[in-house]
Amino acid sequence: MAGSNGKQKTVRGTILSLIVIMATAGVVYLFVPHDDHAPDIKRVDYRVELLTARRAASYPVAAPEGLPDTWKATSVRYQADQGDRWHLGFQDPDGQYVAIEQSTQKRKDFIDDASQGSRATKVTQKIGGRTWTRYSGGRYDALVSEGAKGDTTVVAGTASFAQLTKMAQALQTS
């Protein structure tokens, strides 16, 4: 009988230890702050880079005009050594990402990169006097338009096609 009493104490001690550990973990969880909303992304001023790109690029560089302040520019770059590549990223009013990408790089490779692997659909739409083809199935959805000077413009991101269309409608080249 003495052996079974020792086993009972061991089991009881293990259960009590587990209860104490779980209670301690619960208390720690309650006092550790939890931030469930996305971090506030800093707005960038892209005017200088836009002027530089418009002077240097071999095609008309596009940027939006007239978008409400709820569209926040978050990233900008111009890479002359990579096919005059222009990038301008935004956070839309719903917190989704929208980017304008332009380049004279090989069209297929550029679209694949800018749209994160999306493929052309049979859906096209006229926006601002240009024909845009919808791309989907990759990481981003995209609208793609081929320019007259060998450039390609891609409006892509995690936003809906409605938001991508709003961005494409706002694009101006001067």
Side-chain angles (χ1 to χ4, degrees):
M1 290 287 189
S4 67
N5 189 17
K7 287 181 183 177
Q8 288 176 347
K9 287 182 181 180
T10 304
V11 171
R12 190 176 83 198
T14 302
I15 291 172
L16 287 174
S17 295
L18 283 172
I19 291 171
V20 169
I21 290 169
M22 290 174 65
T24 303
V27 169
V28 169
Y29 178 80
L30 288 175
F31 288 102
V32 171
H34 302 287
D35 190 4
D36 292 337
H37 73 281
D40 189 32
I41 298 173
K42 182 182 169 196
R43 184 181 300 269
V44 299
D45 184 356
Y46 58 89
R47 291 177 294 186
V48 172
E49 287 87 352
L50 177 60
L51 289 172
T52 301
R54 284 184 171 165
R55 281 189 213 123
S58 60
Y59 58 86
V61 174
E65 289 183 16
L67 285 176
D69 285 342
T70 52
W71 288 77
K72 184 190 298 185
T74 59
S75 59
V76 61
R77 69 183 161 274
Y78 174 70
Q79 299 165 304
D81 61 335
Q82 293 185 13
D84 287 335
R85 187 159 183 166
W86 168 246
H87 162 86
L88 183 56
F90 281 82
Q91 183 179 46
D92 80 354
D94 300 326
Q96 296 299 311
Y97 181 67
V98 176
I100 299 120
E101 304 274 354
Q102 285 182 285
S103 181
T104 57
Q105 290 174 313
K106 184 178 174 188
R107 182 176 157 89
K108 182 184 177 306
D109 295 339
F110 173 67
I111 294 170
D112 187 56
D113 182 51
S115 70
Q116 302 285 310
S118 292
R119 299 287 173 240
T121 67
K122 295 180 183 193
V123 179
T124 61
Q125 59 191 99
K126 283 280 195 189
I127 304 171
R130 296 173 74 174
T131 300
W132 296 78
T133 303
R134 285 188 178 195
Y135 279 63
S136 65
R139 182 171 173 209
Y140 295 155
D141 286 329
L143 295 171
V144 177
S145 179
E146 189 171 354
K149 295 190 174 191
D151 62 299
T152 304
T153 302
V154 177
V155 176
T158 58
S160 67
F161 275 112
Q163 293 294 75
L164 297 177
T165 299
K166 283 181 187 176
M167 177 59 79
Q169 288 169 333
L171 291 181
Q172 300 293 320
T173 55
S174 58

